[in-house]
């Protein structure tokens, strides 16, 4: 028999394979045993006898440990991992078949993308194994690091095709993507801490969102600023629906969120157009994309491509990678890629709705919305409806920083899902039910 509660708990935890789950189980078992001890003492038993009986009441530690081990297992979403790998492989493979692009031979870009993909897969595994709750703990330091990186880029960065970058030898980083993740991590960390605090908390989160967007704008990440404005608006809307600030006033917070967002959008778009709009380039890009797509077939190369090659493709060709796929392989392949991405996002949405930790839930909402808005904007660019904004097709388009950024957010999502069964359950309502 285990008459020492510490030894009992130790024996239980030895049966649990997922070490990250042990701390929470230790706390839960200790609390349960302490409650039993108090009850036995209240019945008139001395402390030593109460400890013995409280421990005996728990049962066999090995059986309990084995049962808990079956419950507290790490979760892996293989559907997300498989689709990300499949899309990455297709993106790389495409580059070896499309010939000479305006910026050079596509095979050169394909070889570079192989390097990014190998780095990305290692990155994915590392982030998956990483405890995402540490980001919440160090959120403020991460946010300040993002501000410093933004200022460094603005002061010392180089402008490449309208995008500010930092160079380290032959390597070029688009730091806006890195800074954006730092900002979002901190905003969501603060959001998860201020449940039930009302208007003060709401204004605080809105202020942090505004600072993050302004810093992105200074970094000349105009498309990213627009995307993140929508992402933050949706995160705040979900929080308001769940009564995160104040359930009785949730509609007031929703109206305030979208009122501020619409006003910001009205102010943002004309300024973006003033800085970034080139009528000649815009008209050229629209006309050329239309010609490539108009001649596309269900299977095989476009007639326009057979006649002219890629010489008329816009210089920022990476944004039109879906156009390239459709033009070179046909509409069926293009629709298949779109379908894979839709399935990927659907799986991520479904998993997000089943998360029980507040920080993990809002982090996943931000990640999923971010990827979906990127996808929608890229479709609009591909079809020629939007110009003068840069937005790559996730996991498919060429680009090291953008690819690794997408790998990071998916890895973060997988890290959240992996620990869903061991995180403390503090999600007090669903999107459709309130206590």
């Amino acid at each position: 028999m285990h008459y020492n509660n510490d030894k009992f708990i130790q024996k239980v935890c030895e049966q649990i394979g997922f070490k990250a789950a042990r701390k929470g189980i230790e706390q839960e078992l200790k609390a349960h045993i302490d409650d039993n001890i108090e009850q036995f003492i209240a019945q008139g038993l001395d402390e030593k006898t109460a400890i013995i009986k409280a421990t005996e009441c728990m049962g066999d530690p090995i059986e309990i440990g084995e049962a808990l081990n079956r419950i507290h297992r790490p979760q892996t979403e293989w559907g997300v991992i498989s689709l990300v790998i499949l899309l990455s492989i297709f993106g790389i493979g495409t580059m070896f078949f499309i010939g000479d692009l305006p910026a050079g031979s596509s095979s050169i870009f394909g070889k570079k993308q192989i390097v990014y993909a190998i780095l990305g897969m290692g990155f994915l595994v590392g982030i998956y194994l990483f405890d995402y709750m540490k980001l919440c703990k160090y959120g403020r330091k991460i946010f300040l690091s993002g501000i410093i990186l933004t200022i460094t880029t603005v002061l010392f960065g180089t402008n490449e095709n309208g995008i500010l970058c930092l160079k380290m030898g032959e390597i070029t980083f688009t730091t806006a993507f890195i800074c954006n993740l730092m900002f979002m991590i901190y905003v969501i960390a603060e959001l998860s801490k201020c449940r039930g605090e009302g208007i003060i908390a709401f204004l605080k989160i809105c202020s942090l969102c505004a600072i993050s967007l302004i810093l992105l704008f200074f970094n000349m990440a105009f498309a990213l600023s627009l995307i993140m404005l929508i992402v933050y608006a949706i995160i705040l809307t979900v929080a308001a629906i769940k009564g995160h600030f104040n359930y009785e006033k949730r509609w007031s917070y929703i109206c305030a969120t979208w009122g501020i967002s619409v006003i910001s959008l009205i102010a943002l778009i004309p300024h973006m157009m003033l800085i970034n709009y080139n009528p000649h380039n815009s008209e050229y890009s629209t006309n050329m994309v239309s010609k490539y797509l108009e001649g596309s077939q269900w299977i095989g190369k476009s007639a326009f491509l057979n006649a002219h090659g890629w010489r008329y493709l816009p210089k920022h060709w990476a944004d039109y990678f879906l156009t390239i796929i459709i033009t070179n392989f046909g509409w069926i392949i293009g629709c298949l890629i779109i379908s894979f991405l839709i399935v990927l996002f659907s799986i991520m949405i479904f998993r997000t709705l089943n998360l029980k930790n507040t920080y993990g839930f809002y982090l996943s909402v931000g990640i999923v919305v971010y990827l979906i808005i990127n996808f929608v904007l890229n479709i609009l660019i591909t079809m020629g409806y939007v110009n003068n904004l840069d937005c790559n097709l996730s996991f498919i388009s060429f680009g090291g920083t953008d690819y690794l950024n997408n790998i990071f957010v998916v890895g973060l999502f997988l890290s959240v899902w992996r620990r869903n069964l061991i995180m403390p359950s503090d999600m007090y309502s669903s999107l459709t039910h309130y206590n």
Side-chain angles (χ1 to χ4, degrees):
M1 302 295 287
H2 291 266
Y3 300 129
N4 184 299
N5 55 348
D6 290 332
K7 289 183 179 179
F8 175 86
I9 292 171
Q10 181 182 355
K11 194 68 175 177
V12 171
C13 290
E14 286 175 356
Q15 316 308 313
I16 298 168
F18 192 21
K19 293 182 179 180
R22 292 180 181 178
K23 184 177 180 180
I25 291 172
E26 285 177 7
Q27 294 172 347
E28 186 177 344
L29 289 172
K30 188 176 186 306
H32 192 55
I33 292 173
D34 287 345
D35 288 341
N36 288 341
I37 290 172
E38 290 179 5
Q39 290 178 13
F40 286 123
I41 290 176
Q43 293 173 12
L45 298 180
D46 61 87
E47 184 176 353
K48 183 177 179 180
T49 305
I51 292 173
I52 293 172
K53 288 188 68 65
T55 308
E56 287 178 344
C57 288
M58 295 296 293
D60 183 82
I62 295 178
E63 291 181 2
I64 294 172
E66 290 175 347
L68 289 172
N69 184 52
R70 289 192 292 271
I71 297 171
H72 294 84
R73 289 181 178 273
Q75 299 184 116
T76 303
E77 182 42 75
W78 290 107
V80 170
I81 295 173
S82 300
L83 285 167
V84 168
I85 292 173
L86 183 63
L87 290 167
S88 299
I89 291 172
F90 190 88
I92 292 169
T94 298
M95 293 182 192
F96 287 96
F97 288 95
I98 57 180
D100 293 330
L101 291 167
S105 173
S106 64
S107 62
I108 296 175
F109 297 108
K111 292 174 183 177
K112 289 182 179 180
Q113 197 69 8
I114 290 175
V115 176
Y116 296 141
I118 293 172
L119 290 173
M121 291 304 110
F123 207 28
L124 184 71
V125 173
I127 299 299
Y128 165 72
L129 297 174
F130 175 74
D131 183 359
Y132 73 95
M133 288 302 294
K134 292 180 180 179
L135 297 175
C136 185
K137 182 179 179 181
Y138 298 105
R140 182 170 297 179
K141 293 180 180 179
I142 293 172
F143 186 73
L144 292 174
S145 299
I147 293 175
I148 293 170
L149 183 57
T150 299
I151 294 171
T152 302
T153 304
V154 171
L155 294 178
F156 305 107
T158 59
N159 190 322
E160 295 193 1
N161 298 320
I163 302 172
L164 280 179
C165 305
L166 279 181
K167 281 193 172 184
M168 295 179 62
E170 297 297 321
I171 302 175
T172 302
F173 296 95
T174 308
T175 59
F177 293 110
I178 302 170
C179 295
N180 176 57
L181 287 173
M182 293 177 168
F183 300 151
M184 187 174 74
I185 285 168
Y186 180 61
V187 169
I188 294 174
E190 291 302 300
L191 174 64
S192 66
K193 296 174 184 176
C194 64
R195 187 170 68 193
E197 295 182 8
I199 187 66
I200 300 299
F202 177 76
L203 292 175
K204 176 185 176 182
I205 301 303
C206 287
S207 299
L208 289 174
C209 292
I211 293 169
S212 302
L213 293 172
I214 290 169
L215 289 169
L216 289 175
F217 200 80
F218 281 146
N219 212 350
M220 297 182 70
F222 304 122
L224 191 55
S225 301
L226 178 62
I227 290 168
M228 292 311 299
L229 173 62
I230 300 171
V231 170
Y232 288 136
I234 292 176
I235 291 173
L236 284 170
T237 300
V238 172
I241 291 172
K242 292 175 68 63
H244 189 87
F245 303 106
N246 185 313
Y247 174 66
E248 287 74 19
K249 298 181 180 179
R250 66 192 186 282
W251 288 109
S252 299
Y253 289 113
I254 294 171
C255 292
T257 295
W258 285 100
I260 294 170
S261 300
V262 170
I263 292 171
S264 300
L265 199 60
I266 292 172
L268 180 65
I269 290 178
H271 195 59
M272 287 172 57
M273 297 295 287
L274 180 65
I275 295 174
N276 212 36
Y277 183 66
N278 185 318
H280 176 73
N281 288 341
S282 176
E283 183 179 350
Y284 173 82
S285 297
T286 301
N287 289 339
M288 289 303 103
V289 168
S290 297
K291 288 184 181 297
Y292 277 111
L293 290 177
E294 284 171 3
S296 297
Q297 307 176 59
W298 285 109
I299 291 289
K301 290 185 178 181
S302 161
F304 189 82
L305 175 62
N306 284 326
H308 303 283
W310 297 114
R311 71 171 67 97
Y312 296 115
L313 197 68
K315 290 182 179 180
H316 48 298
W317 57 271
D319 296 337
Y320 294 94
F321 212 76
L322 185 57
T323 302
I324 292 173
I325 290 172
I326 294 171
T327 302
N328 197 75
F329 300 106
W331 281 100
I332 289 179
I333 303 300
C335 291
L336 189 64
I337 294 297
I338 293 173
S339 299
F340 285 158
L341 284 165
I342 291 174
V343 171
L344 172 64
F345 301 146
S346 299
I347 293 173
M348 295 177 76
I349 290 170
F350 176 77
R351 294 307 187 196
T352 297
L353 293 175
N354 285 277
L355 292 172
K356 61 182 184 179
N357 177 264
T358 300
Y359 181 60
F361 172 76
Y362 287 122
L363 195 59
S364 293
V365 169
I367 289 168
V368 175
V369 173
Y370 169 76
L371 291 173
I372 291 175
I373 299 299
N374 265 280
F375 169 69
V376 172
L377 184 57
N378 185 263
I379 295 295
L380 294 175
I381 291 172
T382 295
M383 297 303 157
Y385 296 121
V386 174
N387 292 290
N388 296 299
L389 290 178
D390 56 295
C391 181
N392 289 356
L393 187 64
S394 298
F395 313 111
I396 298 288
S397 298
F398 173 78
T401 306
D402 191 70
Y403 179 80
L404 292 177
N405 169 70
N406 289 326
I407 287 292
F408 180 89
V409 297
V410 169
L412 203 52
F413 169 84
L414 291 171
S415 176
V416 173
W417 181 247
R418 182 174 190 258
R419 290 164 176 78
N420 188 43
L421 295 179
I422 69 167
M423 285 291 107
S425 180
D426 57 1
M427 294 301 296
Y428 57 100
S429 68
S430 69
L431 290 176
T432 56
H433 174 74
Y434 301 94
N435 295 326

